[in-house]
Amino acid sequence: MVRVAILGQGYVGTIFAWGLARLKKGLLEPWGVPLARVDFGVPVESLEIVASFDVDAAKVGRSLYEIARGYGLEPEPELKEVAVSPGLKLGSTPSFIKTAALDDGRPLEDALARFRELLDDARPDVLIDVTTTVRSRPLFTWEEAERRVAEGSLPHSQVYAYLALERSGVAYVNAQPAHVACSPAFVERAAEVGSLVLGDDGATGATPLTVDIAEHLAERNRRVLSVAQFNIGGNTDFLSLTEPERNLAKEETKSGFLEDVLGYEPPHFIRPTGYLEPLGDRKFVAMHIQWVSFGGFVDELVVNMRINDSPALAGYLVDLARLAYASLRAGVYGTVPEINLFYMKRPGPLGTRHKAKMLAYRDLLSFVERLRESRGLPAREAVTRARTSNP
Amino acid sequence: MVRVAILGQGYVGTIFAWGLARLKKGLLEPWGVPLARVDFGVPVESLEIVASFDVDAAKVGRSLYEIARGYGLEPEPELKEVAVSPGLKLGSTPSFIKTAALDDGRPLEDALARFRELLDDARPDVLIDVTTTVRSRPLFTWEEAERRVAEGSLPHSQVYAYLALERSGVAYVNAQPAHVACSPAFVERAAEVGSLVLGDDGATGATPLTVDIAEHLAERNRRVLSVAQFNIGGNTDFLSLTEPERNLAKEETKSGFLEDVLGYEPPHFIRPTGYLEPLGDRKFVAMHIQWVSFGGFVDELVVNMRINDSPALAGYLVDLARLAYASLRAGVYGTVPEINLFYMKRPGPLGTRHKAKMLAYRDLLSFVERLRESRGLPAREAVTRARTSNP
Amino acid sequence: MVRVAILGQGYVGTIFAWGLARLKKGLLEPWGVPLARVDFGVPVESLEIVASFDVDAAKVGRSLYEIARGYGLEPEPELKEVAVSPGLKLGSTPSFIKTAALDDGRPLEDALARFRELLDDARPDVLIDVTTTVRSRPLFTWEEAERRVAEGSLPHSQVYAYLALERSGVAYVNAQPAHVACSPAFVERAAEVGSLVLGDDGATGATPLTVDIAEHLAERNRRVLSVAQFNIGGNTDFLSLTEPERNLAKEETKSGFLEDVLGYEPPHFIRPTGYLEPLGDRKFVAMHIQWVSFGGFVDELVVNMRINDSPALAGYLVDLARLAYASLRAGVYGTVPEINLFYMKRPGPLGTRHKAKMLAYRDLLSFVERLRESRGLPAREAVTRARTSNP
Amino acid sequence: MVRVAILGQGYVGTIFAWGLARLKKGLLEPWGVPLARVDFGVPVESLEIVASFDVDAAKVGRSLYEIARGYGLEPEPELKEVAVSPGLKLGSTPSFIKTAALDDGRPLEDALARFRELLDDARPDVLIDVTTTVRSRPLFTWEEAERRVAEGSLPHSQVYAYLALERSGVAYVNAQPAHVACSPAFVERAAEVGSLVLGDDGATGATPLTVDIAEHLAERNRRVLSVAQFNIGGNTDFLSLTEPERNLAKEETKSGFLEDVLGYEPPHFIRPTGYLEPLGDRKFVAMHIQWVSFGGFVDELVVNMRINDSPALAGYLVDLARLAYASLRAGVYGTVPEINLFYMKRPGPLGTRHKAKMLAYRDLLSFVERLRESRGLPAREAVTRARTSNP
């Protein structure tokens, strides 16, 4: 059994919990779980959600069952067994949330201590950070992290990662834009204490497709003249992005790939653009790319998407929790670029060059082969399976 | 020097000749030539157009210079040196073309003999087939081909390929949908006589992008529900596709990849759809794909493109002529799936399974490495170059 | 009470019946009913479905309640009261339908007589034709209609219209492409016997929007260079359009407007394009328009839509049934171009020039004013209401 | 002869001058000039550009001929006759422009006096304001305007309008978002002194189309759930909109129409969104609209456009200069809502309710009829012409 804790019980975390319960009972096809058909020794059935943390007063104390219903989902009864514990709001929680956080009316030091106790109780193997987007800077030493946690100047994700890495043998999966797997302080610490950080910022929507389209163009030696990409949605994530600092954080993780993939950086405008409530979680994406073809002729490509934002990430989390656990068990500590490059927008460790997602996928399959070998499973099968087992 | 003959002096063949002359003089950046920066011993400068064939009375006897001007291009004076010779119309030339073909008012046997003489004079190393789309069936034995050429029941592309393969040491690059590289008769014959066929049907527009998008979805285990793809343009190719048989030929090469890439065949409608003169060579593509994401949520993707159809293929031809020649020189006969899988819509030999173009590109680079090694060039460099030398 | 008979109990007719029942009980907002807020003396509540005809063996004998459930709708119990009677298949019913028609194994003459009896029983005020698309020619004299009905050479819609117009004081609303309101024979007959025909072919999807966009461009004196429009869907209507004759019928009603609205006919390709089952009733539309702006610069517009085909037409039917009845009551016989020009793709009578839908809407409001006046309702109010009462 | 002065010799003003010269010589079809075919007594040939003002050091002192060539246009020699005079930069000129303005190193009072002298020399009948977008507030009294001009606290457009309205018998056409025709101070002053202000903000791109699409939906009683509209371009206008205040000014004029047209204000996000240099003047627009259709079904519409921004407005200016002059001559002073409602995004006077552009066009044609009558031209012809004379 893999003990999983969710940080941030928003729509992503809830779809994850709801879908996982249904997957385990065979009520749901595992569409959207990239490695659903690849056996590396950690089946979906082994995942168990043991804790959940949030700062939203409307959620703290409620069960995942109640929260799932609040999102209009039909949850399995098992979700009644996990209640949301209060988390840490720090200075980085959006102002539109009414909080019931550990650090509401309690000194930071006490709040941290209280959170440590909750972790002691939950004993998670894997912590999944799906909290609100926050901007951050990389942290370079554990001492720096220590000092800044104490003084209360770090955003919530880096504080959670710090608290997780005080422990050993745990994995921290950071699916949002804060620098966790891109903080050398955390990667080095994890390597030292037999832990793991994966991240940063799940790559689920228009960005990974754009990466692959960029590679597609590069392979034909087409010269990209410009890229414009707009995203607008109506979920809480988009609402939080109306705060300029958060928007900037997102913009940074969304456009970093162009130079690495193309070999040059074309003029571009790639941003989460706005909040429009009736779009709900099904965001609208519009993208325009133009390039020079043979003979100097200019071609144009427009992409429009309606993407269910949260389910796409929730599907990834099913893999990430399993891969994190399998890696730990195989003695892989620190971070795993082969995982990050496929699943993340800004793959750790800091300074990792992007590559086409399709190429990252091949590397991921090779890494999974190594995991299989470490378990004594027959080699070369994972790749084959992944290509053939779509029913 | 690589001696190149063009079969079908339409817009593609003309952009190719016009652009090649400019490339050789450094007047054009090699955008749209996929391997422009990869050295495998056959530089662009070594290509020389030595002959051109067409059946259009408005073209036969004219120089490539005059024809390029007729298409509104500003050609280099070198193009005056090649005049269009009459080709074979057979039963497969579109009815809207007024012909001046070898088989106009001359017995087929005599016309074939005359074409053989023209080939004797031109001595091409590489023949490039950019004639009008035609529907065909695979040919399984050389005897069958022989008999059907004689009785006049084969479409022009298969007849041209037959006549080319009577010779040895030549490469036939088939950039249109007829079965040439997908005719076992031709591949086996080429292997026997030290020749090569590449094909079929250049993959330049929406199809290769769709292949890669399909792979992108498959890697995330998203279940594709349907694919609709429309193409409409105003060039002669689209005009010829208004004849139902040709349209069917095109449809076949456009949608074969889905099952191979996805592992199942989703309902789809993928077709060249119509002719609309004012769109010119810059076709309009509209595509709709929907799939199931995690939790059963349905996402949608719409792609709209304006693509300069002919330049895209002309850029490929610069590579294909060079790769064909380099392969022959390295003793690679028959056909080369590594080349076909990247550049072609229905890659030969018959029965080849499609794969994502991005994966085919990796295989192509490996094949190019082998070409380099056979020339004593240092190994492992091509790949690196291809990824880093975009200026 | 207005007695309504439905001809063709497909998805449109079923959404109409299902939605009408819900509207009457206040369970549904009247969105999609253009004149929902305009009072011309025939409230929605007065409509009563008294009969339904179909030839599909899977429907004949079933109640509208059962049929609605079969389409996945949650119907009101009232729908149990109407059962589907057998209709006439003639030579024009799609081959993919297994029929249980009046003319299955019964001489045509007897079948017609039987249908007349069913009409005698139902005594409809308004017949709504939402049968499968069929191609036809206009009929010019009642005698011609009589003769061709007898010999069985007319498609079902024209036969139904003929049988309806044998009666007096009835309205025939033709929402499909056959020539009914565009058959002088029917319009003249209706005028003589105090009846009414409205039609042809409900204008609900991309076509009316294209008409208005064309007007928008014309008002700015922009020169339209080309129009491409594709439609693909997965309902029975699209399935039937895979039969070439039906497709042609649809193409004709879809592109007739360009010359009338623009003053010239630009090159265009406007067609229902294909059937793709997973799209269901929510068709996908792609449209490309390019034009010359000031100074000779060329602009481009691409429209993509996902439109619920059947509900859009069902909403119109709520108006059309009411308007037809109100017109009859006001002594307006023959046909009403003011109604047809707004609601229909090929507005009758034959030869009517198209106009922008937005201008047709103004004329419709004026006609409704006249209906109001004939009922002694205060003038000038309808227009105002229509513009201001959206809540 | 109508004497026209251009304020802001950017790309719009230059396309206008370049195109007008070509129109007058019959070298250009009048596409994009809405009333090109409507005779109201002021033919295109009567327009004469007599002055031009700008603050850009790279333009002041240059002839329109030189400036047109700088934009890559091939200008007529007549454009050599007009040189750009220095204008007023005030506090509202974008920081990225190196200025050579009248108020560079000269007290404001002197600069204003100097501008008055330049107007005395030029004696324009019509001033056209195509300066950079600036945010403003309406001005309610002439005294307020007077005081704030003197203290230098007004943006350039309002200062120019003030200086123009010190004179009588002139028309000020404000094609940018500042409050001019929406400043009661200016409209009242114009009415008093026999002058005219038209404005504000030319409605040429996505906004007027969106207005008409909104009307189209309203007429079918479809309930609009949300509207998202993005605009991105590479011209100086988009560059200036990267300054937040200007962006806000634009956003205000772009989204005011929804409530007036629909009768309610749906959630919306309608904004100029970004600057992307390689798009040039041909901006990219993406729009998403979703609505409720009959039965509660939700439809979606996506519009993508590539629009040449400046030519579209330049074409309008040909009409606006002529209409302004014709109005003055017919004794129409103050402002003309019938003109503003069709050509402008925020039609003056302040408080004017928007209406569909297609309805505004009808009112415009009626107004033009009145202009014709005042000239003794036969009535009822303009409308007819406008609808039928597209060749």
Side-chain angles (χ1 to χ4, degrees), chain A residues 127-363:
Chain A
L127 295 95
I128 292 179
D129 183 344
V130 281
T131 58
T132 307
T133 289
V134 75
R135 200 176 185 201
S136 69
R137 307 293 312 157
L139 294 167
F140 289 90
T141 68
W142 186 249
E143 291 65 37
E144 183 191 358
E146 211 157 26
R147 179 174 46 79
R148 297 195 51 201
V149 166
E151 76 191 28
S153 67
L154 288 183
H156 53 265
S157 281
Q158 292 184 324
V159 174
Y160 283 140
Y162 170 85
L163 293 166
L165 293 171
E166 287 181 334
R167 320 171 74 83
S168 71
V170 301
Y172 193 93
V173 176
N174 177 40
Q176 64 109 291
H179 291 77
V180 174
C182 288
S183 273
F186 293 141
V187 175
E188 283 162 25
R189 171 74 182 191
E192 285 163 24
V193 300
S195 283
L196 189 65
V197 287
L198 298 176
D200 296 325
D201 204 10
T204 52
T207 303
L209 182 64
T210 311
V211 176
D212 278 351
I213 290 175
E215 171 74 17
H216 182 92
L217 296 172
E219 292 180 358
R220 282 151 190 79
N221 201 29
R222 293 172 184 158
R223 175 76 190 192
V224 176
L225 295 177
S226 66
V227 182
Q229 192 203 96
F230 311 115
N231 291 260
I232 188 163
N235 60 23
T236 317
D237 192 28
F238 278 94
L239 180 55
S240 82
L241 294 175
T242 57
E243 300 183 5
E245 277 293 294
R246 291 180 214 280
N247 201 302
L248 220 46
K250 200 81 185 174
E251 183 185 341
E252 287 163 2
T253 64
K254 286 176 82 71
S255 57
F257 65 88
L258 281 171
E259 180 154 16
D260 288 348
V261 170
L262 293 174
Y264 57 95
E265 191 172 22
H268 58 278
F269 181 100
I270 301 182
R271 277 183 218 178
T273 311
Y275 173 72
L276 190 53
E277 193 275 337
L279 293 174
D281 187 58
R282 201 164 177 244
K283 71 182 168 188
F284 172 66
V285 178
M287 177 159 59
H288 179 270
I289 306 181
Q290 54 182 352
W291 63 80
V292 180
S293 177
F294 184 68
F297 294 83
V298 175
D299 294 338
E300 285 181 278
L301 169 70
V302 172
V303 173
N304 292 295
M305 301 169 90
R306 284 302 301 272
I307 299 281
N308 292 281
D309 218 13
S310 301
L313 184 50
Y316 279 19
L317 297 180
V318 175
D319 270 3
L320 285 163
R322 298 187 303 142
L323 287 167
Y325 187 77
S327 299
L328 281 178
R329 200 168 53 180
V332 180
Y333 307 131
T335 191
V336 185
E338 291 88 344
I339 297 174
N340 299 337
L341 274 159
F342 180 71
Y343 291 97
M344 300 293 171
K345 282 210 194 76
R346 191 189 54 220
L350 192 61
T352 300
R353 282 173 67 90
H354 292 81
K355 60 168 67 177
K357 292 298 177 189
M358 244 170 248
L359 305 180
Y361 181 72
R362 299 297 126 180
D363 297 342

Side-chain angles (χ1 to χ4, degrees), chain B residues 225-228 230-232 267-269 273-276 278-279 282 284 286-288 290 300 302 304 306, chain C residues 225-228 230-232 267-269 273-276 278-279 282 284 286-288 290 300 302 304 306:
Chain B
L225 295 177
S226 67
V227 181
F230 311 115
N231 291 260
I232 189 164
H268 59 278
F269 181 100
T273 311
Y275 173 72
L276 191 52
L279 293 173
R282 200 162 179 245
F284 172 66
M287 179 158 60
H288 178 270
Q290 55 181 353
E300 285 181 278
V302 173
N304 292 294
R306 286 301 302 271
Chain C
L225 295 177
S226 67
V227 181
F230 311 116
N231 291 261
I232 189 163
H268 58 277
F269 181 100
T273 311
Y275 173 71
L276 191 53
L279 294 174
R282 202 164 177 243
F284 171 66
M287 179 159 58
H288 178 271
Q290 53 182 354
E300 285 180 278
V302 173
N304 292 295
R306 285 301 301 273

Side-chain angles (χ1 to χ4, degrees), chain B residues 145-163:
Chain B
E146 211 157 24
R147 180 174 47 78
R148 296 196 51 201
V149 166
E151 75 189 28
S153 66
L154 288 183
H156 54 265
S157 282
Q158 292 184 323
V159 174
Y160 283 139
Y162 170 84
L163 292 166

Side-chain angles (χ1 to χ4, degrees), chain C residues 190-375:
Chain C
E192 285 163 24
V193 300
S195 285
L196 189 65
V197 288
L198 299 177
D200 296 325
D201 204 11
T204 53
T207 303
L209 182 64
T210 311
V211 176
D212 278 351
I213 290 176
E215 171 76 16
H216 183 91
L217 296 172
E219 291 179 357
R220 281 150 191 81
N221 202 28
R222 293 171 185 159
R223 175 75 189 193
V224 176
L225 295 177
S226 67
V227 181
Q229 192 201 96
F230 311 116
N231 291 261
I232 189 163
N235 59 22
T236 315
D237 192 27
F238 278 94
L239 180 56
S240 81
L241 294 175
T242 57
E243 301 183 5
E245 278 292 295
R246 291 180 214 281
N247 201 303
L248 219 49
K250 201 79 183 176
E251 183 184 341
E252 287 162 3
T253 63
K254 286 178 83 71
S255 57
F257 65 88
L258 281 170
E259 181 155 14
D260 288 348
V261 170
L262 294 174
Y264 57 95
E265 191 173 22
H268 58 277
F269 181 100
I270 301 182
R271 277 182 219 177
T273 311
Y275 173 71
L276 191 53
E277 192 275 337
L279 294 174
D281 188 58
R282 202 164 177 243
K283 70 181 170 189
F284 171 66
V285 178
M287 179 159 58
H288 178 271
I289 306 180
Q290 53 182 354
W291 63 79
V292 180
S293 177
F294 185 68
F297 295 84
V298 175
D299 294 338
E300 285 180 278
L301 168 71
V302 173
V303 173
N304 292 295
M305 302 169 90
R306 285 301 301 273
I307 299 281
N308 292 281
D309 217 14
S310 300
L313 183 51
Y316 279 19
L317 297 179
V318 175
D319 270 4
L320 285 163
R322 298 188 301 143
L323 286 167
Y325 187 78
S327 299
L328 282 178
R329 200 169 52 183
V332 179
Y333 306 131
T335 190
V336 185
E338 291 88 344
I339 297 175
N340 299 336
L341 274 159
F342 180 71
Y343 291 97
M344 301 292 172
K345 283 209 193 76
R346 189 189 56 221
L350 191 63
T352 300
R353 282 174 65 91
H354 290 82
K355 59 168 69 179
K357 293 297 176 188
M358 243 170 248
L359 304 181
Y361 181 72
R362 299 297 126 181
D363 296 343
L364 173 65
L365 293 182
S366 300
F367 175 75
V368 167
E369 277 303 321
R370 297 204 297 279
L371 289 182
R372 286 172 58 79
E373 283 162 28
S374 79
R375 299 290 291 170

Side-chain angles (χ1 to χ4, degrees), chain B residues 5 15 20 46 53-54 68 103 136 165 236 244 252 316 337 371 389:
Chain B
I15 293 265
L20 181 60
S46 63
F53 296 88
D54 207 297
D103 48 341
S136 70
L165 292 171
T236 317
E252 287 162 4
Y316 278 20
L371 289 182
S389 64

